[in-house]
């Protein structure tokens, strides 16, 4: 399942028109909803320094941080997952030689694949398999202005996540 089969909902317009306010209102109303009407969501703002499009795994790390708040019973599991992924990122920092960089890239791909699996299992454990899982990507224009590679990296990760979390919506 690709982003072409389940395309993201795009909200666009000139700066200051209220796009982020609309999203904030939706999230606030959702947070106040009855538990039976809730679904997992993550608000991923590319203006935040810890959400780094050049390393898409940071999106999942932030999403899991937010899920720990939404689902307090899963807080410890979320923390363990985040620590594991953060450790993977730290250990995959590029070494000085080109040969090592290729090996590091391979480790990073493996870490991302493992993270996608871990995230899907986490969603399953929340009892949210029958509910949508929403990723709100705010200030995505920051990613677009930075580089095409960053845009491609974010979409690739989302495309990898879609089959694992079938009800993912962006």
């Amino acid at each position: 399942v690709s982003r072409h089969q389940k395309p993201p909902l795009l909200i666009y317009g000139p700066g200051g028109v209220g796009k982020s306010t609309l999203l904030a209102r939706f999230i606030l109303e959702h947070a106040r909803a009855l538990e039976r009407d809730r679904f997992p969501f993550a608000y991923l703002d590319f203006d935040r320094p810890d959400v780094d499009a050049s390393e898409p795994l940071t999106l999942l790390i932030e999403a899991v941080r937010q899920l720990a708040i939404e689902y307090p019973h899963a807080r410890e599991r979320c923390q363990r997952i985040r620590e594991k992924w953060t450790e993977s990122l730290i250990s995959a920092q590029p070494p000085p030689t080109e040969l090592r960089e290729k090996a590091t890239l391979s480790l990073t791909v493996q870490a991302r694949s493992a993270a996608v699996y871990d995230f899907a299992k986490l969603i399953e454990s929340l009892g949210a398999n029958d509910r949508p899982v929403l990723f709100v990507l705010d200030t995505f224009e920051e990613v677009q202005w930075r580089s095409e590679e960053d845009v491609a990296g974010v979409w690739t990760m989302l495309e990898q996540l879609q089959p694992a979390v079938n009800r993912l919506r962006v």
Side-chain angles (χ1 to χ4, degrees):
V1 178
S2 74
R3 72 175 183 260
H4 303 290
Q5 292 170 321
K6 293 183 182 177
L9 171 66
L10 300 176
I11 301 172
Y12 62 94
V17 78
K19 301 176 299 290
S20 294
T21 302
L22 176 65
L23 291 172
R25 174 73 185 239
F26 170 79
I27 289 169
L28 183 60
E29 286 183 13
H30 175 69
R32 293 178 177 163
L34 297 173
E35 189 166 332
R36 71 176 192 279
D37 297 329
R38 288 186 182 174
F39 53 84
F41 70 90
Y43 175 78
L44 304 168
D45 185 354
F46 289 100
D47 272 342
R48 291 185 49 141
D50 53 343
V51 177
D52 182 2
S54 66
E55 181 41 76
L57 186 53
T58 63
L59 278 74
L60 288 182
I61 290 171
E62 175 59 17
V64 171
R65 185 190 72 77
Q66 293 178 29
L67 290 174
I69 296 167
E70 293 172 52
Y71 295 89
H73 68 277
R75 186 169 288 142
E76 286 181 33
R77 181 169 186 193
C78 290
Q79 183 60 31
R80 283 192 309 272
I81 290 170
R82 289 181 69 233
E83 287 171 1
K84 175 182 164 185
W85 293 348
T86 301
E87 192 175 299
S88 293
L89 277 180
I90 291 168
S91 67
Q93 292 301 314
T97 69
E98 185 178 321
L99 180 61
R100 289 186 185 162
E101 285 181 19
K102 289 179 183 174
T104 301
L105 179 60
S106 174
L107 286 174
T108 304
V109 170
Q110 290 174 349
R112 287 183 195 154
S113 294
V116 165
Y117 176 82
D118 291 344
F119 188 81
K121 289 298 179 191
L122 174 63
I123 294 299
E124 190 177 299
S125 76
L126 297 177
N129 279 353
D130 61 336
R131 299 177 187 188
V133 177
L134 179 64
F135 275 20
V136 176
L137 307 180
D138 200 4
T139 59
F140 193 72
E141 68 274 10
E142 297 290 329
V143 180
Q144 293 172 307
W145 290 329
R146 199 169 331 148
S147 79
E148 289 181 28
E149 292 82 21
D150 288 354
V151 171
V154 169
W155 285 126
T156 298
M157 192 209 51
L158 292 172
E159 286 178 335
Q160 291 171 341
L161 198 56
Q162 187 71 63
V165 182
N166 192 40
R167 297 186 57 89
L168 178 69
R169 299 297 181 263
V170 179

